[in-house]
Amino acid sequence: MLLNRFVQAIPIMILATFLVFSLLQLVPGDVAITIAGENASEERIQEIRELYGLNQPFLVQYGNWLLNAIQGDFGDSLLSGEPVLETIFRVFPNTLFVVVYAVILSVVIGVPLGIMASSRPNSKLDGAIMGASSLGVAVPNFWLGMVLVSVFALTWNWFPATGFTSPSDGLSSAIWFATLPAIALCTNGIAEVARQLRSSLVEIHSSQYVRTLHAKGLSPVAILWKHGLKNVSVNLLTVISLLFNKALAATVVVETVFAIPGMGNTIVKAVLEGDFPVVQGAVLAMVVSVILVNLVTDLTYTILDPRIQQV
Amino acid sequence: MTTPTMEMAIREDSLFSKFGQWCQRDKRGAVSLLVLMIIIGIAIFAPWIAPHSPTEQDFSKMLMAPSAEHWLGTDDLGRDVLSRLIHGTSKSVYAAFLAVGVSLLIGVPIGLLAGFLGGWIDIGISRVIDTLLSFPAIVLAVAVTGAMGIGLTNSMISVGIVFSPHLARLIRARALVIREELYVDAARCFGASTIRLLVKHVTPNAIQPVIVQCTLLLALALLAEASLSFLGLGVQPPDPSWGQMLARAYMYMEITPEQMYAPGLMIMVTALTFNTLGESLRVALDPTMKGL
């Protein structure tokens, strides 16, 4: 099972590398000219072609790039000359820190809300929680970030407006700086967790075996903990792994608002400057992390729900 | 089995009275439809509604607080914020529809082919769909926009490309079921070509969940436009869009913090409208909910 799942992830990884590399093919005109600059001499452009292997057929270029990438060589930044892998190692932990923080917040806030909403379906409380989660899905998270900065940082001075401390330089300070970005990122997650949990719990509460448990005199709290949450844990896990993907995507804008030196910020800067190796490496790193999270999620399913193992 | 009288009663309902019944049954859906029509109305009639030109600069009135002449104040170039908000409606709504249109054009044919033809084609296409779905959406859209060139149309085509696997997966699943249906077999026996089968029989029966998904995607596309324009990859100056207005408001946040509220609220309300309408459509179109 374990091995099987790993083997399944490999073609997806390879396909992902191919798609990421193909991004370069979308660039209109000659990439060599784009890299060298509009006014570069013919010799310089030719030199760039040789250097990056752009004069070779596409598949050969891809093969070479993939071989290097497997060995951890994603090329160097066209602007700073820093190896792309070093950039990724430098900025990815910052992004992961904020994303994990946001996912934790989503679960910690979303789960009680979902339980509350499901305890009395169609009540006023349920309506209010579900209404709030509709807003949570619709709010643009970077705008929420701006509002948070304006209110909590610039007006009330509770939190720093922008900037970031790496978790390795001091955890408490890192949490301090990452709180507003994490709040901005987590509204969507809170809403998704609350909705999913509510609908699964309502379904379970109306099932035959829960009715039997009620009849046998088990308290609602015991039913929730021993039977309800245990049975929705798989659904919840699916939502959490999707949240990781979404929060990772949202960092692209939120990191810009809070000036966090993370992956999103790096990708946006690289895109605006035409720094293709950085774009390719950073996008690939994000995709690989999503694939890994999906893999871990699938493996955790089998622990939470032994029935899945047979599939 | 329905009785003949019931069938007749259903048939006699005109489209209009059906719509009236739906409005009564689903008030939330009716309200969101009304709000959406207002928003689209603003988008279409923007030049006539806006009190000022969205691009006219007045350097004597930069970053002004809301006043009788400029209800929402002026931005850093002295342009009327309300007028930019109204004109931004057209850009943002156009962007959302463009992105969803592109994802329909790409996603539907690919999903149909995969589901209907099956075999190796299906396996290949499904693998690509799975892979694309593990790309964080906005990240991919940013990268594709970067490669194709920045600008509203390019960025929304990118968003459309990024969304298309969602639609393809959905319609593939429907096509898989429908190709086994008797009426498809019957049409095939009458000598219908694969193209005819796809266009005349599979698509109309597979499209319902796609309509719902498209409405929900409109909300995501709107948020994506705002994000990309905020980053400077979407709408280019001097054109206004809600995301672009937020980018400017961000730069002058310490001087005029109130300027970020109107565009953000517009984005939120519009996204909320698309989502609510999508949920209502899901209920209205769901065959198992018919007659409720």
Side-chain angles (χ1 to χ4, degrees):
Chain A
M1 164 67 202
L2 203 80
L3 197 73
N4 199 4
R5 190 59 190 76
F6 270 114
V7 172
Q8 276 175 12
I10 291 172
I12 291 195
M13 288 272 199
I14 293 176
L15 206 54
T17 60
F18 183 73
L19 291 172
V20 166
F21 186 77
S22 308
L23 278 177
L24 208 56
Q25 295 302 111
L26 287 172
V27 179
D30 194 336
V31 181
I33 296 176
T34 316
I35 294 173
E38 293 288 327
N39 304 319
S41 63
E42 192 51 46
E43 293 91 64
R44 175 71 187 140
I45 294 169
Q46 199 54 45
E47 202 184 330
I48 295 267
R49 273 199 197 110
E50 300 270 325
L51 186 65
Y52 291 95
L54 292 169
N55 44 3
Q56 289 168 320
F58 174 66
L59 281 177
V60 176
Q61 288 182 41
Y62 167 64
N64 289 335
W65 179 79
L66 185 63
L67 272 181
N68 289 332
I70 288 172
Q71 294 161 31
D73 177 13
F74 292 94
D76 303 332
S77 161
L78 297 179
L79 283 121
S80 68
E82 185 186 19
V84 174
L85 196 67
E86 267 179 38
T87 314
I88 293 171
F89 277 128
R90 185 162 49 80
V91 299
F92 210 168
N94 300 345
T95 298
L96 269 185
F97 186 72
V98 178
V99 166
V100 171
Y101 192 175
V103 170
I104 291 174
L105 279 183
S106 312
V107 175
V108 168
I109 302 171
V111 167
L113 286 179
I115 294 175
M116 278 198 284
S118 73
S119 64
R120 291 216 181 120
N122 302 323
S123 65
K124 274 193 181 149
L125 180 69
D126 181 24
I129 292 174
M130 286 303 106
S133 34
S134 301
L135 283 182
V137 175
V139 66
N141 39 37
F142 66 96
W143 175 64
L144 184 63
M146 286 166 64
V147 173
L148 291 172
V149 168
S150 167
V151 175
F152 291 105
L154 297 180
T155 313
W156 291 349
N157 283 318
W158 287 3
F159 290 96
T162 55
F164 197 73
T165 315
S166 168
S168 54
D169 296 340
L171 195 62
S172 59
S173 156
I175 291 177
W176 188 240
F177 272 94
T179 298
L180 288 186
I183 294 175
L185 277 175
C186 74
T187 53
N188 202 317
I190 294 173
E192 300 268 349
V193 169
R195 278 181 179 185
Q196 178 65 44
L197 199 63
R198 178 198 175 271
S199 69
S200 323
L201 278 177
V202 165
E203 202 184 313
I204 285 175
H205 281 320
S206 60
S207 68
Q208 297 282 354
Y209 72 86
V210 168
R211 195 178 302 166
T212 313
L213 294 169
H214 267 300
K216 286 168 83 176
L218 210 63
S219 74
V221 179
I223 291 177
L224 177 70
W225 281 105
K226 284 200 178 155
H227 300 274
L229 289 182
K230 205 169 176 182
N231 277 299
V232 297
S233 54
V234 171
N235 285 349
L236 196 60
L237 200 65
T238 314
V239 174
I240 293 171
S241 76
L242 284 174
L243 281 188
F244 178 80
N245 186 335
K246 280 189 182 172
L248 204 58
T251 56
V252 173
V253 225
V254 171
E255 282 179 3
T256 306
V257 171
F258 289 96
I260 297 170
M263 292 293 275
N265 223 334
T266 307
I267 289 180
V268 171
K269 221 179 275 170
V271 162
L272 287 171
E273 289 164 346
D275 198 343
F276 303 113
V278 176
V279 177
Q280 287 177 332
V283 172
L284 190 62
M286 279 189 150
V287 178
V288 168
S289 70
V290 170
I291 293 174
L292 286 178
V293 167
N294 288 347
L295 193 67
V296 172
T297 314
D298 282 6
L299 297 179
T300 322
Y301 283 159
T302 57
I303 300 167
L304 286 174
D305 189 348
R307 285 172 297 185
I308 292 174
Q309 204 140 25
Q310 293 149 9
V311 180
Chain B
M1 272 301 273
T2 48
T3 61
T5 45
M6 264 181 74
E7 264 180 19
M8 276 171 73
I10 292 170
R11 226 173 275 157
E12 273 166 19
D13 277 354
S14 71
L15 210 61
F16 188 74
S17 73
K18 262 190 186 168
F19 177 72
Q21 282 169 11
W22 173 78
C23 287
Q24 287 219 315
R25 217 174 30 235
D26 187 354
K27 295 213 173 62
R28 205 185 297 175
V31 170
S32 59
L33 191 63
L34 182 71
V35 175
L36 181 63
M37 284 185 354
I38 294 173
I39 291 169
I40 292 180
I42 294 176
I44 293 171
F45 299 108
W48 293 278
I49 303 170
H52 299 271
S53 153
T55 49
E56 193 187 83
Q57 306 179 357
D58 183 349
F59 292 108
S60 65
K61 292 177 181 166
M62 290 191 295
L63 294 170
M64 290 227 306
S67 62
E69 204 200 339
H70 301 282
W71 289 3
L72 294 175
T74 56
D75 72 0
D76 55 305
L77 297 173
R79 300 175 294 197
D80 182 48
V81 172
L82 178 64
S83 304
R84 288 182 71 71
L85 194 71
I86 291 170
H87 278 270
T89 312
S90 356
K91 293 282 177 202
S92 298
V93 170
Y94 156 79
F97 279 96
L98 175 64
V100 173
V102 169
S103 63
L104 268 175
L105 278 179
I106 301 171
V108 169
I110 289 177
L112 275 176
L113 283 178
F116 192 73
L117 297 178
W120 280 105
I121 296 173
D122 183 27
I123 294 173
I125 291 177
S126 296
R127 280 279 163 278
V128 175
I129 292 175
D130 285 346
T131 311
L132 279 174
L133 287 177
S134 50
F135 279 67
I138 300 280
V139 175
L140 187 57
V142 166
V144 174
T145 308
M148 290 204 307
I150 57 179
L152 185 64
T153 303
N154 272 353
S155 65
M156 285 303 115
I157 291 173
S158 318
V159 172
I161 294 171
V162 171
F163 283 169
S164 58
H166 291 269
L167 290 180
R169 191 171 62 163
L170 199 66
I171 202 151
R172 171 191 168 269
R174 290 287 299 156
L176 264 182
V177 178
I178 290 167
R179 70 170 183 179
E180 307 294 335
E181 296 279 354
L182 208 56
Y183 56 81
V184 176
D185 267 347
R188 195 182 283 124
C189 290
F190 278 113
S193 65
T194 304
I195 305 259
R196 190 182 163 79
L197 283 176
L198 281 173
V199 173
K200 284 272 173 188
H201 299 281
V202 181
T203 311
N205 287 296
I207 210 77
Q208 254 185 22
V210 174
I211 295 172
V212 174
Q213 190 63 33
C214 278
T215 322
L216 301 173
L217 280 183
L218 280 170
L220 291 178
L222 189 82
L223 295 172
E225 185 279 327
S227 303
L228 290 168
S229 290
F230 180 80
L231 296 172
L233 296 164
V235 149
Q236 294 303 304
D239 284 344
S241 89
W242 295 334
Q244 192 269 350
M245 290 178 74
L246 284 177
R248 293 210 92 93
Y250 176 70
M251 284 191 273
Y252 299 95
M253 199 158 64
E254 290 181 59
I255 312 169
T256 50
E258 71 278 358
Q259 289 202 352
M260 67 175 132
Y261 292 103
L265 284 174
M266 285 304 281
I267 297 168
M268 190 163 82
V269 167
T270 313
L272 190 65
T273 308
F274 284 135
N275 280 336
T276 315
L277 205 60
E279 291 303 325
S280 293
L281 274 176
R282 191 201 300 278
V283 175
L285 293 177
D286 190 343
T288 59
M289 306 277 237
K290 278 252 168 78
L292 285 178

